[in-house]
mmCIF file of all heavy atoms in Angstrom:
data_model
loop_
_atom_site.group_PDB
_atom_site.id
_atom_site.type_symbol
_atom_site.label_atom_id
_atom_site.label_comp_id
_atom_site.label_asym_id
_atom_site.label_seq_id
_atom_site.Cartn_x
_atom_site.Cartn_y
_atom_site.Cartn_z
ATOM 1 N N VAL A 1279 20.533 -12.068 1.897
ATOM 2 C CA VAL A 1279 20.546 -11.616 3.288
ATOM 3 C C VAL A 1279 19.702 -12.541 4.163
ATOM 4 O O VAL A 1279 20.110 -12.937 5.263
ATOM 5 C CB VAL A 1279 20.037 -10.162 3.391
ATOM 6 C CG1 VAL A 1279 19.830 -9.767 4.845
ATOM 7 C CG2 VAL A 1279 21.008 -9.211 2.717
ATOM 8 N N THR A 1280 18.518 -12.900 3.663
ATOM 9 C CA THR A 1280 17.622 -13.756 4.441
ATOM 10 C C THR A 1280 18.225 -15.125 4.683
ATOM 11 O O THR A 1280 18.200 -15.633 5.816
ATOM 12 C CB THR A 1280 16.269 -13.917 3.711
ATOM 13 O OG1 THR A 1280 15.676 -12.625 3.525
ATOM 14 C CG2 THR A 1280 15.321 -14.787 4.516
ATOM 15 N N MET A 1281 18.788 -15.744 3.635
ATOM 16 C CA MET A 1281 19.263 -17.121 3.801
ATOM 17 C C MET A 1281 20.473 -17.197 4.728
ATOM 18 O O MET A 1281 20.579 -18.107 5.553
ATOM 19 C CB MET A 1281 19.569 -17.748 2.431
ATOM 20 C CG MET A 1281 20.757 -17.174 1.688
ATOM 21 S SD MET A 1281 20.887 -17.898 0.046
ATOM 22 C CE MET A 1281 22.538 -17.354 -0.448
ATOM 23 N N VAL A 1282 21.374 -16.234 4.647
ATOM 24 C CA VAL A 1282 22.547 -16.257 5.525
ATOM 25 C C VAL A 1282 22.144 -15.926 6.964
ATOM 26 O O VAL A 1282 22.535 -16.610 7.916
ATOM 27 C CB VAL A 1282 23.621 -15.282 5.015
ATOM 28 C CG1 VAL A 1282 24.784 -15.206 6.008
ATOM 29 C CG2 VAL A 1282 24.123 -15.704 3.641
ATOM 30 N N TYR A 1283 21.344 -14.876 7.129
ATOM 31 C CA TYR A 1283 20.895 -14.445 8.460
ATOM 32 C C TYR A 1283 20.146 -15.564 9.172
ATOM 33 O O TYR A 1283 20.417 -15.888 10.339
ATOM 34 C CB TYR A 1283 20.012 -13.205 8.302
ATOM 35 C CG TYR A 1283 19.352 -12.726 9.574
ATOM 36 C CD1 TYR A 1283 19.986 -11.826 10.418
ATOM 37 C CD2 TYR A 1283 18.073 -13.158 9.917
ATOM 38 C CE1 TYR A 1283 19.373 -11.374 11.588
ATOM 39 C CE2 TYR A 1283 17.457 -12.717 11.071
ATOM 40 C CZ TYR A 1283 18.103 -11.823 11.901
ATOM 41 O OH TYR A 1283 17.487 -11.385 13.047
ATOM 42 N N ALA A 1284 19.177 -16.168 8.487
ATOM 43 C CA ALA A 1284 18.353 -17.198 9.117
ATOM 44 C C ALA A 1284 19.137 -18.481 9.359
ATOM 45 O O ALA A 1284 18.921 -19.163 10.366
ATOM 46 C CB ALA A 1284 17.133 -17.485 8.243
ATOM 47 N N ALA A 1285 20.052 -18.816 8.445
ATOM 48 C CA ALA A 1285 20.854 -20.029 8.627
ATOM 49 C C ALA A 1285 21.715 -19.925 9.876
ATOM 50 O O ALA A 1285 21.851 -20.890 10.642
ATOM 51 C CB ALA A 1285 21.714 -20.276 7.391
ATOM 52 N N VAL A 1286 22.303 -18.757 10.096
ATOM 53 C CA VAL A 1286 23.115 -18.553 11.303
ATOM 54 C C VAL A 1286 22.247 -18.674 12.550
ATOM 55 O O VAL A 1286 22.621 -19.334 13.532
ATOM 56 C CB VAL A 1286 23.816 -17.178 11.254
ATOM 57 C CG1 VAL A 1286 24.500 -16.879 12.588
ATOM 58 C CG2 VAL A 1286 24.824 -17.139 10.113
ATOM 59 N N HIS A 1287 21.069 -18.066 12.522
ATOM 60 C CA HIS A 1287 20.179 -18.114 13.687
ATOM 61 C C HIS A 1287 19.660 -19.518 13.955
ATOM 62 O O HIS A 1287 19.332 -19.846 15.099
ATOM 63 C CB HIS A 1287 19.004 -17.157 13.491
ATOM 64 C CG HIS A 1287 19.300 -15.750 13.920
ATOM 65 N ND1 HIS A 1287 18.938 -15.248 15.133
ATOM 66 C CD2 HIS A 1287 19.953 -14.747 13.284
ATOM 67 C CE1 HIS A 1287 19.334 -13.995 15.243
ATOM 68 N NE2 HIS A 1287 19.963 -13.663 14.132
ATOM 69 N N SER A 1288 19.566 -20.358 12.933
ATOM 70 C CA SER A 1288 19.019 -21.700 13.132
ATOM 71 C C SER A 1288 19.896 -22.553 14.044
ATOM 72 O O SER A 1288 19.386 -23.433 14.745
ATOM 73 C CB SER A 1288 18.832 -22.398 11.785
ATOM 74 O OG SER A 1288 20.085 -22.653 11.165
ATOM 75 N N VAL A 1289 21.191 -22.312 14.058
ATOM 76 C CA VAL A 1289 22.084 -23.125 14.900
ATOM 77 C C VAL A 1289 22.240 -22.528 16.296
ATOM 78 O O VAL A 1289 22.931 -23.105 17.141
ATOM 79 C CB VAL A 1289 23.473 -23.276 14.234
ATOM 80 C CG1 VAL A 1289 23.339 -23.948 12.886
ATOM 81 C CG2 VAL A 1289 24.172 -21.925 14.095
ATOM 82 N N LEU A 1290 21.625 -21.384 16.534
ATOM 83 C CA LEU A 1290 21.697 -20.759 17.854
ATOM 84 C C LEU A 1290 20.470 -21.080 18.703
ATOM 85 O O LEU A 1290 20.318 -20.539 19.794
ATOM 86 C CB LEU A 1290 21.824 -19.235 17.706
ATOM 87 C CG LEU A 1290 23.049 -18.733 16.941
ATOM 88 C CD1 LEU A 1290 23.007 -17.213 16.820
ATOM 89 C CD2 LEU A 1290 24.336 -19.171 17.614
ATOM 90 N N ARG A 1291 19.612 -21.968 18.203
ATOM 91 C CA ARG A 1291 18.394 -22.335 18.920
ATOM 92 C C ARG A 1291 18.522 -23.742 19.492
ATOM 93 O O ARG A 1291 19.251 -24.580 18.960
ATOM 94 C CB ARG A 1291 17.171 -22.273 17.983
ATOM 95 C CG ARG A 1291 16.854 -20.877 17.429
ATOM 96 C CD ARG A 1291 16.687 -19.880 18.543
ATOM 97 N NE ARG A 1291 16.228 -18.575 18.140
ATOM 98 C CZ ARG A 1291 16.993 -17.554 17.809
ATOM 99 N NH1 ARG A 1291 18.304 -17.701 17.747
ATOM 100 N NH2 ARG A 1291 16.484 -16.379 17.541
ATOM 101 N N ILE A 1292 17.770 -24.002 20.558
ATOM 102 C CA ILE A 1292 17.776 -25.335 21.153
ATOM 103 C C ILE A 1292 16.401 -25.991 21.085
ATOM 104 O O ILE A 1292 16.275 -27.185 21.321
ATOM 105 C CB ILE A 1292 18.261 -25.287 22.630
ATOM 106 C CG1 ILE A 1292 17.369 -24.363 23.465
ATOM 107 C CG2 ILE A 1292 19.704 -24.862 22.705
ATOM 108 C CD1 ILE A 1292 17.715 -24.365 24.947
ATOM 109 N N ASP A 1293 15.374 -25.218 20.770
ATOM 110 C CA ASP A 1293 14.039 -25.765 20.550
ATOM 111 C C ASP A 1293 13.983 -26.317 19.127
ATOM 112 O O ASP A 1293 14.312 -25.619 18.170
ATOM 113 C CB ASP A 1293 12.991 -24.673 20.745
ATOM 114 C CG ASP A 1293 11.564 -25.191 20.645
ATOM 115 O OD1 ASP A 1293 11.302 -26.029 19.761
ATOM 116 O OD2 ASP A 1293 10.711 -24.763 21.431
ATOM 117 N N MET A 1294 13.568 -27.574 18.965
ATOM 118 C CA MET A 1294 13.546 -28.191 17.641
ATOM 119 C C MET A 1294 12.692 -27.388 16.663
ATOM 120 O O MET A 1294 13.057 -27.213 15.499
ATOM 121 C CB MET A 1294 13.026 -29.624 17.746
ATOM 122 C CG MET A 1294 13.955 -30.568 18.493
ATOM 123 S SD MET A 1294 13.253 -32.220 18.705
ATOM 124 C CE MET A 1294 13.263 -32.821 17.019
ATOM 125 N N LYS A 1295 11.563 -26.880 17.130
ATOM 126 C CA LYS A 1295 10.716 -26.062 16.251
ATOM 127 C C LYS A 1295 11.396 -24.748 15.898
ATOM 128 O O LYS A 1295 11.268 -24.259 14.767
ATOM 129 C CB LYS A 1295 9.364 -25.797 16.916
ATOM 130 C CG LYS A 1295 8.301 -26.825 16.601
ATOM 131 C CD LYS A 1295 6.933 -26.290 16.994
ATOM 132 C CE LYS A 1295 5.837 -27.208 16.540
ATOM 133 N NZ LYS A 1295 4.485 -26.661 16.818
#
Side-chain angles (χ1 to χ4, degrees):
V1279 171
T1280 301
M1281 68 186 192
V1282 174
Y1283 174 89
V1286 172
H1287 274 262
S1288 67
V1289 300
L1290 300 177
R1291 297 305 187 269
I1292 58 175
D1293 185 319
M1294 293 176 69
K1295 269 195 173 184

